[in-house]
C-alpha cells in the first residue's frame, strides 16, 4: 500500500473559507474530493482532516486532504499508512477526520450480500480508526464508492448502514472555487505523469548540446575569474539564466542548446538556490514554465535540478499533486538530490507552503548580495 501525499498543501484545501460553501452530506464531500486533491482518485484511501473554525463555534473546515494507494495491501504497509495519516492529523490540530475509499472493484452492499471487498475496506478503516483514537482524533465517518461521479452510489463503511447518491463533482462549489483560484482538476494522477514525461527527441538533442554547454561554461568561468571578483562568475551566470527566463516570459520555447545552457548553470547549487526566490513572486509562472521545459527535455541526472525547482514552485503555490509528481521525478533522476528529498518529506508530512518562504528569502538575499534585484516578493 504505497503512500502518496497527493493533495494541495493545507492552506489551499479548506472548502469553507466563505459562509456559502457547505458540505452537508457524504455525497457532497465525495463530490468535492477531486477538487480538493486536484485530480480524480482511483483505488485510493482519501482522508480529510478537520480543524475547528475559530470564527464559528461548533463548525469545522477541511484543513488538509491526503490520499493513499490501495494497491499492494499488507499489514505492515497498512500500519505505516495509518501512522502517516495520524501524524498529519496531529500536525494540523485536527478535531476529527473523515475517510473515503475509492475502489472500482467494490460493489455496494445489498440485503443478500455485504458487497465485494467490504471486509478489506472495514479492516482498513478499523485500523485507521484505532490509530486516530490513540491521538484523540475521532473518525467522524467513512464511506466507500466504486468511482466518483454524478448519481453514483456511496455507502458507509463504519457505523449505521446508510447509502446514497453522489452530487455532480463539476457542480460542486468547492470545484468552482479551486478552478477560479487557478488550480485545475485533472482527470487522473496519470495525467500529471504524462505532463512531466520526458520528450525522447528533445532529451536526445539536449544530451548532445550539454557537452557543448559544459565547454562554454568552463571558458566563461575562466574569463570571469581573471577579473579577481569572486562573486563575478556566479553573478554572470545568474544573469544569463534570468535572460532565458525573460524569453520564456515572452512566450518562447527554448532550443536544446539553450536548455543545456541553463542546465549546466543549475549544477551550481548556489545558483540553483537563488532560483528558489522566483516563487512566490511576480515571475513565478514564468519560472515554473521554464523548469517544466527543462524537466521534459533533460536527461538524468540534470533533470533532477529542474524537476526539484518545478516541484518547489508548485508546492509554494499550493498545487500538491504537481509538486509530488515533480519531486518524484527529481528523486528518480537523482535519488541523492538533497533539495528534492527534503521537499518531498515536507509534502508527505503536510508541511505548510509558507514554511518554504525561508528558502525563497535566502535565495533573494543571496541575489541581493550579488547586486541582482529579483523584484518584489508576493
Amino acid at each position: 500500500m504505497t503512500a502518496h501525499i497527493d493533495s494541495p498543501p493545507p492552506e489551499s484545501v479548506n472548502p469553507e473559507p466563505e459562509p456559502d460553501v457547505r458540505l452537508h452530506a457524504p455525497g457532497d464531500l465525495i463530490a468535492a474530493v477531486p477538487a480538493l486533491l486536484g485530480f480524480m482518485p482511483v483505488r485510493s484511501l482519501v482522508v480529510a482532516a478537520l480543524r475547528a473554525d475559530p470564527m464559528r463555534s461548533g463548525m469545522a473546515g477541511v484543513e488538509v486532504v491526503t490520499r493513499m494507494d490501495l494497491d499492494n495491501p499488507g499489514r505492515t504497509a497498512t500500519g505505516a499508512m495509518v501512522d502517516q495519516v495520524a501524524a498529519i492529523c496531529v500536525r494540523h490540530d485536527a478535531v476529527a477526520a473523515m475517510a473515503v475509499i475509492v475502489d472500482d472493484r467494490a460493489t455496494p452492499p445489498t440485503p443478500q450480500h455485504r458487497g465485494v471487498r467490504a471486509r478489506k475496506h472495514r479492516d482498513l478503516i478499523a485500523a485507521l480508526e484505532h490509530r486516530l483514537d490513540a491521538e484523540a482524533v475521532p473518525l467522524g465517518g467513512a464511506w466507500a464508492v466504486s468511482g466518483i461521479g454524478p448519481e453514483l452510489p456511496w455507502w458507509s463503511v463504519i457505523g449505521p448502514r446508510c447509502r446514497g447518491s453522489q452530487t455532480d463533482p463539476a457542480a460542486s462549489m468547492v470545484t468552482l472555487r479551486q478552478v477560479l483560484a487557478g488550480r485545475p482538476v485533472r482527470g487522473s494522477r496519470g495525467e500529471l505523469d504524462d505532463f512531466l514525461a520526458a520528450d525522447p527527441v528533445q532529451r536526445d538533442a539536449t544530451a548532445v548540446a550539454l557537452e557543448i554547454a559544459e565547454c562554454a561554461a568552463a571558458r566563461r568561468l575562466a574569463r570571469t575569474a581573471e577579473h579577481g571578483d569572486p562573486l563575478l562568475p556566479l553573478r554572470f551566470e545568474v544573469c544569463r539564466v534570468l535572460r532565458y527566463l525573460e524569453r520564456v516570459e515572452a512566450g518562447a520555447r527554448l532550443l536544446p542548446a539553450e536548455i543545456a545552457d541553463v542546465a549546466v548553470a543549475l549544477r551550481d547549487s548556489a545558483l540553483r538556490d537563488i532560483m528558489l526566490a522566483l516563487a512566490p513572486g511576480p515571475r513565478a509562472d514564468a519560472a515554473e514554465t521554464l523548469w517544466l521545459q527543462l524537466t521534459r527535455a533533460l536527461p538524468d541526472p540534470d533533470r533532477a535540478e529542474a524537476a526539484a525547482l518545478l516541484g518547489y514552485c508548485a508546492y509554494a503555490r499550493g498545487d500538491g499533486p504537481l509538486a509530488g509528481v515533480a519531486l518524484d521525478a527529481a528523486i528518480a533522476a537523482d535519488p541523492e538530490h538533497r533539495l528534492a528529498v527534503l521537499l518531498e518529506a515536507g509534502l508527505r508530512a503536510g508541511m505548510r507552503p509558507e514554511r518554504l518562504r525561508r528558502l525563497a528569502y535566502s535565495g533573494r538575499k543571496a541575489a541581493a548580495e550579488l547586486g541582482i534585484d529579483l523584484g518584489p516578493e508576493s
Side-chain angles (χ1 to χ4, degrees):
M1 187 175 294
T2 306
H4 293 284
I5 304 300
D6 279 329
S7 63
E11 66 179 19
S12 64
V13 301
N14 189 345
E16 284 199 325
E18 296 180 359
D20 60 336
V21 182
R22 295 284 191 274
L23 303 179
H24 296 287
D28 295 334
L29 170 65
I30 294 164
V33 162
L36 294 173
L37 286 175
F39 63 92
M40 186 69 71
V42 295
R43 296 194 181 182
S44 303
L45 169 67
V46 180
V47 179
L50 306 184
R51 191 171 185 178
D53 188 334
M55 305 300 295
R56 288 167 286 191
S57 177
M59 296 190 67
V62 176
E63 172 71 5
V64 64
V65 180
T66 183
R67 184 199 72 89
M68 309 289 178
D69 288 338
L70 288 182
D71 291 333
N72 304 317
R75 182 173 299 178
T76 300
T78 298
M81 182 267 291
V82 298
D83 284 346
Q84 188 173 356
V85 172
I88 291 172
C89 288
V90 170
R91 175 185 289 270
H92 295 290
D93 300 320
V95 297
M98 295 184 293
V100 177
I101 292 176
V102 184
D103 191 341
D104 60 296
R105 299 161 294 188
T107 59
T110 66
Q112 295 77 30
H113 192 271
R114 60 187 180 185
V116 174
R117 299 189 68 81
R119 182 174 179 177
K120 289 183 178 294
H121 294 168
R122 283 201 305 270
D123 289 347
L124 172 58
I125 294 301
L128 176 62
E129 186 174 29
H130 178 74
R131 183 63 184 83
L132 290 175
D133 281 345
E135 303 293 348
V137 179
L139 185 63
W143 304 275
V145 297
S146 58
I148 297 178
E151 302 303 318
L152 291 179
W154 60 262
W155 58 95
S156 59
V157 179
I158 59 172
R161 289 190 176 185
C162 57
R163 58 187 300 169
S165 297
Q166 302 171 40
T167 53
D168 186 356
S172 167
M173 285 298 297
V174 179
T175 301
L176 176 61
R177 291 192 53 141
Q178 297 293 81
V179 171
L180 290 177
R183 303 184 187 104
V185 180
R186 303 170 180 94
S188 68
R189 193 175 190 271
E191 285 188 11
L192 286 171
D193 293 322
D194 294 341
F195 184 58
L196 267 66
D199 181 322
V201 175
Q202 272 197 313
R203 183 186 58 204
D204 292 346
T206 306
V208 174
L210 278 169
E211 296 183 14
I212 300 173
E214 289 169 5
C215 294
R219 289 195 297 269
R220 289 196 302 272
L221 177 61
R223 288 198 305 270
T224 53
E226 292 175 355
H227 292 270
D229 181 355
L231 299 179
L232 182 59
L234 179 57
R235 183 188 303 123
F236 189 80
E237 293 302 315
V238 169
C239 290
R240 283 177 59 81
V241 174
L242 292 177
R243 284 196 291 272
Y244 286 124
L245 180 65
E246 290 173 358
R247 292 200 59 221
V248 172
E249 282 180 305
R253 177 175 292 276
L254 299 187
L255 299 172
E258 296 170 320
I259 289 173
D261 202 6
V262 178
V264 171
L266 290 177
R267 292 175 182 176
D268 183 340
S269 61
L271 184 147
R272 189 275 316 278
D273 291 347
I274 287 174
M275 295 299 112
L276 295 172
L278 296 172
R283 310 184 78 178
D285 289 346
E288 190 167 327
T289 300
L290 174 59
W291 310 141
L292 176 61
Q293 288 189 25
L294 267 65
T295 299
R296 290 180 56 86
L298 284 171
D300 299 344
D302 285 301
R303 188 174 194 246
E305 297 293 355
L309 287 168
L310 176 61
Y312 177 83
C313 286
Y315 197 163
R317 67 175 173 80
D319 191 341
L322 178 57
V325 173
L327 294 172
D328 284 348
I331 294 170
D334 179 4
E336 304 299 323
H337 195 280
R338 189 166 180 269
L339 176 62
V341 170
L342 290 174
L343 289 173
E344 196 274 340
L347 187 65
R348 185 178 295 276
M351 184 176 71
R352 293 176 178 276
E354 59 262 28
R355 295 281 298 276
L356 302 181
R357 292 185 179 178
R358 287 181 291 184
L359 295 174
Y361 173 77
S362 296
R364 191 173 299 276
K365 182 180 178 182
E369 291 172 352
L370 296 174
I372 298 172
D373 182 8
L374 293 180
E377 180 181 0
S378 64

